[in-house]
Amino acid sequence: MRIAVLNKDQCKPGKCSPFGEKPCIKYCPKVRTGDKTIVLSQDSKRVIITESLCTGCGICIKKCPFNAISIVNLPDQLKNQITYRYGPDQFSLFRMAIPKKGKVLGLIGENGIGKSTMLKILSGDLKLNLGRFEENAPDDNEIISFFKGSELQQYFIDLKKNKSKIVLKPQDITIIPKFVSGKVFDLLIKNDVEDKLDEITDQLNLSEIIDRDISVLSGGELQRVAIAAGYLKDGDIYLIDEPSSYLDVSERINMAKLIRSLTKRNKIIIVVEHDLAILDYLSDYISLFYGVPSVYGIISHPQGVRVGINIYLNGYIKDENLRIRDTPIQFHERPPQDSLFDLGEVVFSYDDLEKSLGDFHLTVSGSEIHAGEIIGILGANGIGKSTFIDLIANKIKADDETSNNKNKELKVSVKPQYIKMDKSILVADLIKKIKLAPHLSESFKKRIINKLNLTDIGERIISELSGGELQRVAIATCLTNDADIYLFDEPSAFLDVEMRLQVAQLLRKSIEEIKKAAFVVEHDIITQDFIADSILVFEGTPGLEGIAMVPQNLRDGFNLFLKMMGITFRRDSITKRPRVNKTGSNKDVYQKKINEYYYIPKG
C-alpha cells in the first residue's frame, strides 16, 4: 500500500518556480510519459498527487525545495484498517484505540501523529470516513459494522443515537478566555450538576482564584479551572488533551488523582499526556501512536501501562514485529554528584535578593553559576520562579537596587513562559534574521535548527504554529543569542515525549560546548533530570511568599523538593525511567522512611 501526502502549508508553487514548470511535475517520470500523476490545482496554490498513478520513485520528494511531499510504502494489510483521512493526499489515521468503561486509556506518541484527530472522532467533531470521500463516504451503519465485535461498535452506536454525554478538555487552554467570560465561580457552579464544587475547589486548590475573572488567570490557573469544569459536568465520556501543561508537580499529581477517581463512576476516560511519569501514574492501559508526523499515524493494540511505555521507549512492538524507532530512548541512573558543579569558572554570581510585588514577597539566597553549568529550578506555581528569572535578567529590580549593580554588564537571553513574537513573520525569515553570537559557529546554528526540526516549518508564519512548534522556535532563538547566561522558563511545554528529551539533550550539549551557563524552570521531573547539573528549590506559600534556596546537588535537590511535595519516585527495572509511586504503597512508605525520594541507593 502506498500513500502520498502533500503538506499544503509548505507547498508554495509560486515560489518554487514562479515562471516555469514546477520541479515535482517537471521531473516526475510518470508525468513525462503522459500520465497526470502530479498536476497543479485550479487555483495554482498547490499541486495534487494521484496515488494510484504514483510509482513511489521518490524523485518529487528530492526535487521539492520546501519538503512538502512525502511518499510512504506501508504493509498491504493496513489498507483495510484506515479509519480516517483528511483528503486524497492528506494525513491518514489507521485503526482506533479502544476505550473501556471504568478505565483510563492513555495515548502516547509524537505531535502530529493523530492523537488529537482520534479525540475529535470520539467526540463526534469528525466523522469517520474509512479513507473514502464525498459520494463514496460510508454512512453510520457501515462505520458501526466496521467495528463489529469490539467495544467501539457500541461506542459509535451510542454516538449515533446521541446517548453519550461527551466532555472534552481541549489542548490549548489559553483560548478559553476568548470564548468564556465572567468569574471562575460562575463558570464552575454552572457545570456543577452533582454539588461537588467545594470538594473540587479543595482538591485542585482553587479557593484563591474562585472569585477572579477568567480573563486574568495564568496558564496554570486556566488549566485547573478547565479540568474542574470538565470534572463537574455529568459526562459519560471524558476526553482530556494534555492536562499537565502549565501545572507544577504537586498540581499534576492532584490532577491525576482526580481523573483516576472518574473510574469509580464507571466513566470512559481517554487522556493524551506527554509527561511520562504522569501518564504512567493515571493510566490503566495505553495505546501507542507511531508513523510519520503529518503524514500518517498507526494506533497500536492496547498495552499494559508499564510494558507499553517501555515498548515506546525501546522502539520495538513485539506483537506486531515492528520497529518504530532506530535507537531506543535511554535513561541513565546518573550517580548524583557529591558536590556542586565545579568545573568551569564563575560566569555569574548574585547576592541575597528580596523583591515585593503587591502581597507577594520573594527572598533569594545568594549563590553563583559556572561555565557549562545548568541549574534546574523546581517549585510550585506562584512561588516566585518567574520573578527570580526576571531579577536575573534585570527585567525588574530588587528592592535593594544596589544588589543588581555588580552584574549590570551581564548579557542575558530569555525563553519566557508565555512566548510573544511577531505573528506575521515566516519561520524561515526569523531564522535568517538571527545574528549569531561571536562565540557561535554556523554549524552550531545548523545543529539547533536540525535538532528542533525547524526546516519542516520554515514556510509557515508564526501565527499558524502550534504550541509545540512555537516553543521550538523560541528555544532556537534563545540559544543562538549572544549571552553569558541563558534563562529557559518551561521549555518542555506542549512538546511531545521525543522532543522533550531531544530538547533536554540539546540544551545540555549546547551549554557545555559554548561554556556559558543556564537556569531552567521545568515541572517535568524526567526532563529536569536530563537537563540539570544542580537544583535550586523554591519553598514558601504560593501567592504570598517565596524562598529561593542555594542550589544543591541532584540528590539533595530532588530529595528536598519531592519531600515538600510528598511524592516519591522509583526507577523502572528495565528502562531506568523514573516512575511515581502510588501514595501509601510499600515503595512509597519505604523511601520516605529512608529519606530517599528520588534516587534509591543500591544494596
Side-chain angles (χ1 to χ4, degrees):
M1 176 187 179
R2 180 179 299 114
I3 61 172
V5 176
L6 179 82
N7 189 320
K8 291 189 288 186
D9 293 324
Q10 291 176 216
C11 182
K12 309 283 183 180
K15 289 186 178 181
C16 69
S17 183
F19 305 111
E21 207 168 3
K22 314 311 168 189
C24 56
I25 299 174
K26 181 178 180 179
Y27 293 102
C28 175
K30 294 283 284 182
V31 171
R32 288 183 170 188
T33 62
D35 289 335
K36 294 185 177 181
T37 309
I38 307 177
V39 296
L40 195 62
S41 64
Q42 288 185 345
D43 59 10
S44 299
K45 291 184 178 180
R46 55 166 290 195
V47 299
I48 298 171
I49 305 171
T50 304
E51 277 174 348
S52 59
L53 299 177
C54 177
T55 61
C57 67
I59 292 175
C60 59
I61 299 173
K62 297 174 183 177
K63 293 296 181 180
C64 177
F66 301 117
N67 299 314
I69 300 174
S70 299
I71 297 175
V72 182
N73 292 312
L74 296 173
D76 285 338
Q77 56 264 37
L78 281 174
K79 192 170 187 177
N80 298 321
Q81 298 180 44
I82 187 169
T83 50
Y84 188 81
R85 193 166 193 187
Y86 282 94
D89 54 4
Q90 298 300 298
F91 178 86
S92 300
L93 181 67
F94 296 87
R95 304 180 189 152
M96 288 286 288
I98 302 174
K100 298 178 182 179
K101 286 187 177 182
K103 300 288 184 182
V104 178
L105 166 61
L107 307 182
I108 182 173
E110 294 180 74
N111 286 334
I113 207 82
K115 301 184 300 300
S116 294
T117 295
M118 198 194 82
L119 291 190
K120 288 177 183 177
I121 291 169
L122 293 179
S123 69
D125 288 343
L126 282 180
K127 184 179 178 181
L128 286 169
N129 59 23
L130 309 183
R132 289 150 38 197
F133 316 104
E134 299 168 359
E135 69 277 354
N136 194 33
D139 59 18
D140 289 332
N141 291 330
E142 187 176 351
I143 291 169
I144 291 167
S145 178
F146 184 81
F147 295 106
K148 190 174 182 179
S150 77
E151 287 93 335
L152 285 168
Q153 182 182 20
Q154 188 59 49
Y155 186 100
F156 286 107
I157 289 174
D158 293 342
L159 197 64
K160 176 187 175 184
K161 296 179 178 179
N162 294 318
K163 290 176 65 177
S164 298
K165 295 179 182 178
I166 298 171
V167 177
L168 174 65
K169 201 293 290 181
Q171 177 190 40
D172 186 3
I173 45 86
T174 60
I175 64 171
I176 291 175
K178 295 179 182 178
F179 302 97
V180 181
S181 59
K183 303 288 185 183
V184 171
F185 176 80
D186 296 332
L187 171 65
L188 296 183
I189 198 69
K190 185 168 63 177
N191 291 295
D192 187 17
V193 296
E194 294 184 1
D195 196 25
K196 291 188 175 184
L197 180 56
D198 290 340
E199 175 188 335
I200 298 306
T201 299
D202 290 339
Q203 269 191 274
L204 295 180
N205 298 321
L206 296 173
S207 55
E208 293 285 331
I209 63 170
I210 197 74
D211 293 320
R212 288 188 196 168
D213 197 274
I214 289 168
S215 62
V216 301
L217 299 183
S218 68
E221 291 164 346
L222 273 173
Q223 187 73 273
R224 284 182 283 145
V225 169
I227 292 166
Y231 182 90
L232 290 170
K233 291 179 181 178
D234 184 23
D236 301 303
I237 300 161
Y238 292 80
L239 308 175
I240 305 169
D241 203 348
E242 296 189 32
S244 73
S245 298
Y246 298 116
L247 300 184
D248 64 40
V249 176
S250 63
E251 290 169 343
R252 291 180 185 205
I253 297 296
N254 290 338
M255 169 274 294
K257 288 178 179 177
L258 187 69
I259 290 173
R260 282 214 56 79
S261 69
L262 289 168
T263 60
K264 298 175 183 176
R265 293 157 57 185
N266 206 35
K267 307 295 185 181
I268 289 175
I269 310 108
I270 303 173
V271 181
V272 175
E273 180 52 65
H274 295 305
D275 184 331
L276 286 179
I278 297 302
L279 181 74
D280 190 354
Y281 187 84
L282 63 79
S283 303
D284 291 300
Y285 64 112
I286 68 171
S287 283
L288 317 179
F289 283 66
Y290 59 94
V292 178
S294 301
V295 179
Y296 74 95
I298 302 174
I299 304 172
S300 76
H301 303 304
Q303 306 283 348
V305 180
R306 175 180 173 271
V307 171
I309 293 177
N310 286 354
I311 286 173
Y312 183 76
L313 294 173
N314 287 329
Y316 177 68
I317 305 177
K318 188 175 181 180
D319 61 348
E320 299 184 34
N321 191 26
L322 185 69
R323 180 157 292 283
I324 62 174
R325 183 181 293 104
D326 293 333
T327 56
I329 296 175
Q330 296 180 327
F331 293 83
H332 302 285
E333 288 184 286
R334 289 189 292 164
Q337 300 162 17
D338 294 327
S339 60
L340 283 178
F341 195 86
D342 192 28
L343 291 179
E345 63 181 12
V346 174
V347 171
F348 168 63
S349 63
Y350 53 96
D351 296 328
D352 293 350
L353 302 171
E354 290 194 37
K355 181 64 181 178
S356 296
L357 295 168
D359 295 331
F360 178 76
H361 183 75
L362 174 65
T363 303
V364 179
S365 296
S367 187
E368 59 189 26
I369 186 169
H370 307 79
E373 180 182 11
I374 297 179
I375 294 180
I377 297 177
L378 291 173
N381 281 332
I383 209 160
K385 301 186 302 299
S386 294
T387 302
F388 172 77
I389 292 291
D390 288 342
L391 282 170
I392 300 299
N394 274 326
K395 286 188 175 181
I396 58 175
K397 299 293 183 182
D399 293 341
D400 178 5
E401 289 194 18
T402 58
S403 301
N404 296 80
N405 290 339
K406 62 187 288 187
N407 292 301
K408 277 197 299 186
E409 304 303 319
L410 190 76
K411 293 179 183 177
V412 177
S413 180
V414 182
K415 198 296 292 179
Q417 180 183 20
Y418 302 107
I419 301 164
K420 294 180 181 178
M421 290 182 179
D422 180 355
K423 293 187 177 181
S424 62
I425 191 171
L426 279 176
V427 173
D429 291 340
L430 181 66
I431 293 170
K432 286 177 185 175
K433 285 184 177 181
I434 293 175
K435 293 182 179 179
L436 279 178
H439 60 272
L440 301 180
S441 64
E442 280 296 332
S443 62
F444 178 87
K445 177 181 176 180
K446 187 174 181 180
R447 186 178 75 224
I448 288 173
I449 290 170
N450 290 339
K451 288 288 185 182
L452 295 175
N453 297 337
L454 298 186
T455 304
D456 293 342
I457 58 173
E459 292 302 314
R460 306 256 298 279
I461 61 174
I462 296 297
S463 62
E464 295 175 345
L465 301 183
S466 68
E469 290 166 343
L470 186 62
Q471 188 76 265
R472 282 151 44 198
V473 172
I475 291 169
T477 304
C478 178
L479 260 182
T480 49
N481 282 338
D482 184 8
D484 301 302
I485 190 163
Y486 296 82
L487 307 173
F488 295 90
D489 201 343
E490 298 190 35
S492 77
F494 300 115
L495 300 182
D496 59 44
V497 175
E498 314 233 359
M499 187 53 68
R500 286 183 184 206
L501 301 182
Q502 198 154 307
V503 163
Q505 292 166 345
L506 179 66
L507 294 185
R508 276 237 52 80
K509 186 172 182 179
S510 298
I511 296 300
E512 287 175 2
E513 181 181 327
I514 63 180
K515 294 181 170 53
K516 301 296 181 179
F519 287 96
V520 179
V521 177
E522 181 54 65
H523 294 304
D524 185 329
I525 292 291
I526 295 176
T527 303
Q528 189 69 282
D529 184 34
F530 262 77
I531 294 174
D533 296 300
S534 48
I535 299 293
L536 192 163
V537 177
F538 279 67
E539 59 181 359
T541 305
L544 295 176
E545 181 185 28
I547 302 169
M549 308 179 77
V550 174
Q552 305 175 62
N553 64 47
L554 292 178
R555 169 173 274 155
D556 293 341
F558 277 122
N559 240 24
L560 174 62
F561 175 69
L562 293 175
K563 191 172 186 178
M564 288 163 44
M565 299 292 107
I567 302 164
T568 59
F569 280 75
R570 67 190 184 279
R571 296 276 175 166
D572 183 81
S573 59
I574 297 174
T575 62
K576 309 303 179 188
R577 64 182 171 87
R579 305 181 68 196
V580 183
N581 290 321
K582 298 289 192 293
T583 304
S585 67
N586 290 337
K587 282 188 170 65
D588 181 60
V589 171
Y590 170 70
Q591 287 180 230
K592 286 176 178 175
K593 182 180 178 181
I594 64 173
N595 199 37
E596 292 288 356
Y597 285 68
Y598 193 67
Y599 294 103
I600 305 174
K602 294 181 179 179

